[in-house]
């Protein structure tokens, strides 16, 4: 869980979005573990061990158990509780954002969204790309989930797995990585020229990190 000064609503908003991303990643990690257990599917992890990932996510889980938004019993049925907690935290974020806007408090992410007319899905992609620039543990999590420790940036494929539960939705949402204003305005860029589109890593433009 990210910590910030409570007095800065703009940073608090970013923190809340990163907390929400951690829950998305925690859920995807649980799916990976179930896949390995059910199908004897092996991820090499390339130097990132299951034990190391368990330590990272156990810390995240512990933080959420102590947080006022979550009850410990919520983690007894992980997948269902994570879906519920994701929705709950999203509602809290939306309510806090609305209150801050009504009080004329500056929110950098909301300012960027309005300026470039970004959709909710595009904002989620932006947060996924921003995360490793704020906390290095996201690099490790991304590397594990992409089965390659050198892949510290999220690929299109990883973004789709994080944000889309259904295969059809992943196919439909690929369009965002081709026509999105995130790329038109240079907010995000591709980190290399992989021939396979969904294998291409994305990164946030350096000028946008301190927007």
């Amino acid at each position: 869980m990210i910590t910030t000064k409570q007095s800065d609503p703009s940073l608090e908003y970013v923190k809340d979005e990163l907390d929400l991303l951690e829950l998305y990643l925690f859920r995807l990690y649980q799916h990976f573990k179930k896949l390995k257990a059910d199908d004897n599917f092996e991820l090499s992890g390339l130097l990132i061990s299951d034990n190391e990932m368990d330590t990272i996510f156990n810390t995240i889980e512990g933080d959420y158990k102590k947080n006022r938004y979550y009850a410990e019993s919520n983690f007894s049925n992980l997948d269902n509780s994570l879906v519920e907690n994701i929705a709950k935290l999203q509602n809290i974020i939306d309510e806090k954002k609305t209150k801050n806007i009504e009080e004329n408090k500056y929110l950098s992410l909301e300012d960027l969204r309005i300026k470039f007319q970004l959709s909710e899905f595009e904002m989620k992609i932006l947060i996924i790309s921003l995360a490793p620039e704020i906390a290095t543990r996201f690099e490790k999590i991304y590397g594990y989930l992409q089965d390659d420790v050198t892949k510290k940036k999220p690929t299109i494929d990883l973004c789709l797995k994080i944000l889309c539960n259904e295969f059809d939705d992943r196919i439909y949402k690929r369009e965002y990585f081709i026509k999105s204003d995130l790329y038109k305005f240079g907010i995000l860029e591709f980190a290399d020229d992989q021939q396979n589109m969904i294998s291409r890593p994305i990164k946030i433009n350096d000028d946008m990190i301190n927007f």
Side-chain angles (χ1 to χ4, degrees), residues 3-188:
T3 58
T4 65
K5 294 181 179 179
Q6 296 289 324
S7 58
D8 189 332
S10 188
L11 289 180
E12 184 71 10
Y13 181 32
V14 174
K15 178 201 81 70
D16 288 344
E17 288 288 356
L18 292 175
D19 287 349
L20 183 61
L21 173 59
E22 285 180 339
L23 286 180
Y24 275 105
L25 292 170
F26 193 16
R27 184 173 184 237
L28 183 59
Y29 175 58
Q30 294 301 322
H31 287 182
F32 268 65
K33 289 178 70 175
K34 186 175 186 300
L35 178 65
K36 292 173 68 176
D38 291 349
D39 299 334
N40 294 318
F41 178 72
E42 288 297 328
L43 291 173
S44 68
L46 290 182
L47 304 182
I48 303 178
S49 68
D50 286 353
N51 288 339
E52 192 171 1
M53 292 303 298
D54 282 339
T55 299
I56 292 174
F57 282 109
N58 284 342
T59 300
I60 291 172
E61 179 180 347
D63 285 342
Y64 282 110
K65 285 180 177 180
K66 297 174 197 175
N67 189 281
R68 67 183 182 278
Y69 305 147
Y70 301 91
E72 278 200 38
S73 60
N74 285 346
F75 281 84
S76 60
N77 185 339
L78 267 177
D79 193 65
N80 288 341
S81 77
L82 285 170
V83 171
E84 293 171 2
N85 283 331
I86 285 170
K88 186 175 182 180
L89 183 52
Q90 183 65 69
N91 287 335
I92 291 170
I93 291 172
D94 292 342
E95 290 172 1
K96 288 171 67 175
K97 182 177 73 171
T98 298
K99 185 174 185 293
N100 283 323
I101 292 172
E102 289 173 349
E103 295 175 356
N104 294 316
K105 292 179 179 178
Y106 177 73
L107 303 175
S108 57
L109 280 179
E110 180 64 7
D111 186 36
L112 187 146
R113 185 192 69 79
I114 294 171
K115 181 176 181 179
F116 296 103
Q117 293 294 294
L118 300 175
S119 68
E120 180 181 343
F121 188 79
E122 288 171 320
M123 291 302 294
K124 296 298 185 189
I125 297 170
L126 179 62
I127 291 296
I128 292 171
S129 303
L130 177 64
E133 305 294 339
I134 295 177
T136 56
R137 72 170 175 275
F138 286 102
E139 294 184 336
K140 190 167 292 186
I141 295 170
Y142 290 170
Y144 180 89
L145 293 176
Q146 296 177 118
D147 199 26
D148 187 340
V149 70
T150 67
K151 291 184 177 179
K152 298 179 180 181
K153 305 294 184 186
T155 60
I156 293 174
D157 184 52
L158 181 61
C159 290
L160 292 171
K161 286 177 179 176
I162 293 170
L163 299 174
C164 304
N165 292 327
E166 302 297 331
F167 178 77
D168 290 351
D169 194 30
R170 291 179 190 174
I171 297 297
Y172 170 72
K173 293 290 177 58
R174 284 171 56 146
E175 183 175 328
Y176 280 90
F177 298 92
I178 301 172
K179 301 178 180 179
S180 173
D181 286 342
L182 288 168
Y183 303 98
K184 176 182 177 181
F185 294 113
I187 300 169
L188 297 183

